[in-house]
Amino acid sequence: MTHRRIVLASRPEGRPTPANFRIEDAAVPEPRDGELLLKVLYLSLDPYMRGRMSAAKSYAPPVELGAVMVGGTVAQVVRSRHPDYTEGDFVLSYSGWQSHDLSNGKGLRKLDPKAAPLSTALGVLGMPGFTAYSGLLTIGRPQPGETVVVAAASGPVGATVGQLARIKGARAVGIAGGPEKCAYVRDELGFDAAVDHRAPDFARQLKEACPKGVDVYFENVGGAVWDAVFPLFNEFARIPVCGLIAQYNSTGPFEGPDRLPIVMRDVLSKSLTLRGFIQREFVSQLPDFYRDMSAWIREGRVRYREDIVEGLDRAPEAFIGLLEGRNFGKLVVKVAEPS
């Protein structure tokens, strides 16, 4: 077996390019006492990885040059010298962009392939699903009859947010890019309305879709989408902020006038709650999340879509496409077949 890994070759200036990554091959490592060798089956690609490519200060340390790109994975134990794991076990790990990984067992979670498809541990039953669950229910607190708006509504976080809003009796309005994604959000996921942010009259359409204003806006995009939503906030609106993908590739000062005074005026005059969060803050809610989300999926109340790319070598290209909105659903790289 060959151990293939994708490392950070250089830090991007603006949009990442294939030249920022490098593929390396080496011998597969042997586990020592207390260790286990994992074979990566699925790799999750997520927007937060763009921040890890930068040396700028953030909530997590950057990937060092020459180090394996970080990422959540589903893996299978192929060799074990650890008392708690046997060969053949499936686990959720944080092995990153590589075909194999040595682990001491810390941070792993065993997965039951009979309970749900293994790839869902990286999506609707994983970090994106939990981001939607914890952020919406803890910060957004949607009430029956309120209007919840979410950007990137066809993606794994946004799609889940809208469906949870509906479960809680709220009205769900999704923002997505293009007619196909909007149709999916409205017709398959059951949102009350879907608005195309690429439409020339996007702001007008969004206002018409929210005739009673916006009570909860789940922010994961920023940029022009935020500009369209902001005037629609009702008094006491709540804004959970989990991402700003429209700004991740920006370099230098942002264009346009300084909007901060206007934002702060409405934060005060409308008593808005604007709260950034990282899903790990709510780790105590994980048991509730696994119970609730599993039940909602079984009952057909939460649906999901995966965009699966074949082959580890295609991870850089797929990740660049993710930042440009080319994926449709949760983006996952299928690295290998189970043994």
Side-chain angles (χ1 to χ4, degrees), residues 293-307:
M293 191 63 71
S294 297
W296 289 329
I297 291 172
R298 286 196 306 269
E299 296 164 1
R301 303 177 76 184
V302 171
R303 298 183 179 185
Y304 63 92
R305 177 172 181 150
E306 296 177 324
D307 190 341

Side-chain angles (χ1 to χ4, degrees), residues 146-154 158-159 161-163 165-166 170-176 182 185-186 190-196 202 205-218 225 229 232:
E146 289 189 329
T147 296
V148 176
V149 174
V150 60
S154 67
V161 166
Q163 292 177 92
R166 294 274 294 164
R171 186 169 179 273
V173 177
I175 300 170
C182 286
V185 166
R186 183 182 57 250
F191 282 51
D192 296 280
V195 184
D196 184 355
F202 162 57
Q205 289 189 33
L206 182 63
K207 184 176 181 180
E208 291 179 354
C210 305
K212 296 183 179 180
V214 175
D215 300 292
V216 181
Y217 173 50
F218 198 101
V225 174
V229 177
L232 307 179

Side-chain angles (χ1 to χ4, degrees), residues 257-295:
D258 180 5
R259 298 178 179 86
L260 184 59
I262 299 173
V263 171
M264 294 305 295
R265 180 197 64 197
D266 277 20
V267 167
L268 174 61
S269 63
K270 292 185 177 180
S271 299
L272 304 179
T273 298
L274 183 67
R275 163 79 151 85
F277 75 101
I278 310 298
Q279 47 84 27
R280 65 189 181 198
E281 300 170 30
F282 305 115
V283 65
S284 63
Q285 299 178 16
L286 277 171
D288 293 338
F289 163 70
Y290 291 132
R291 181 198 64 222
D292 294 343
M293 191 63 71
S294 297

Side-chain angles (χ1 to χ4, degrees), residues 19-42:
N20 297 129
F21 305 93
R22 184 173 66 249
I23 297 175
E24 298 180 344
D25 289 326
V28 175
E30 284 290 336
R32 297 174 293 184
D33 286 342
E35 292 183 334
L36 52 152
L37 177 65
L38 301 176
K39 179 176 74 170
V40 174
L41 306 180
Y42 294 100

Side-chain angles (χ1 to χ4, degrees), residues 55-292:
K57 185 177 180 180
S58 184
Y59 63 87
V63 176
E64 296 296 331
L65 292 178
V68 175
M69 281 291 297
V70 296
T73 53
V74 168
Q76 186 174 25
V77 179
V78 290
R79 295 175 195 159
S80 178
R81 299 183 66 181
H82 192 291
D84 297 334
Y85 297 90
T86 59
E87 294 181 7
D89 284 346
F90 296 100
V91 296
L92 178 66
S93 62
Y94 199 64
S95 299
W97 297 27
Q98 56 183 342
S99 62
H100 296 81
D101 186 30
L102 279 181
S103 171
N104 62 7
K106 292 182 179 179
L108 302 183
R109 181 169 71 88
K110 289 187 179 181
L111 300 173
D112 180 1
K114 297 179 181 178
L118 290 169
S119 57
T120 60
L122 302 174
V124 68
L125 286 172
M127 182 271 289
F130 185 55
T131 297
Y133 179 95
S134 59
L136 181 67
L137 302 187
T138 306
I139 302 170
R141 307 184 309 280
Q143 303 301 309
E146 289 189 329
T147 296
V148 176
V149 174
V150 60
S154 67
V157 176
T160 307
V161 166
Q163 292 177 92
L164 296 188
R166 294 274 294 164
I167 288 172
K168 296 300 178 180
R171 186 169 179 273
V173 177
I175 300 170
E180 184 182 7
K181 290 182 177 180
C182 286
Y184 167 72
V185 166
R186 183 182 57 250
D187 301 335
E188 294 190 42
L189 299 183
F191 282 51
D192 296 280
V195 184
D196 184 355
H197 67 77
R198 298 175 182 169
D201 59 344
F202 162 57
R204 180 189 64 79
Q205 289 189 33
L206 182 63
K207 184 176 181 180
E208 291 179 354
C210 305
K212 296 183 179 180
V214 175
D215 300 292
V216 181
Y217 173 50
F218 198 101
E219 174 65 288
N220 53 13
V221 171
V225 174
W226 165 267
D227 292 340
V229 177
F230 178 72
L232 307 179
F233 287 141
N234 290 328
E235 192 174 22
F236 304 115
R238 289 84 68 196
I239 306 106
V241 181
C242 80
L244 298 166
I245 193 170
Q247 300 169 203
Y248 286 168
N249 290 326
S250 299
T251 58
F254 292 104
E255 297 180 359
D258 180 5
R259 298 178 179 86
L260 184 59
I262 299 173
V263 171
M264 294 305 295
R265 180 197 64 197
D266 277 20
V267 167
L268 174 61
S269 63
K270 292 185 177 180
S271 299
L272 304 179
T273 298
L274 183 67
R275 163 79 151 85
F277 75 101
I278 310 298
Q279 47 84 27
R280 65 189 181 198
E281 300 170 30
F282 305 115
V283 65
S284 63
Q285 299 178 16
L286 277 171
D288 293 338
F289 163 70
Y290 291 132
R291 181 198 64 222
D292 294 343

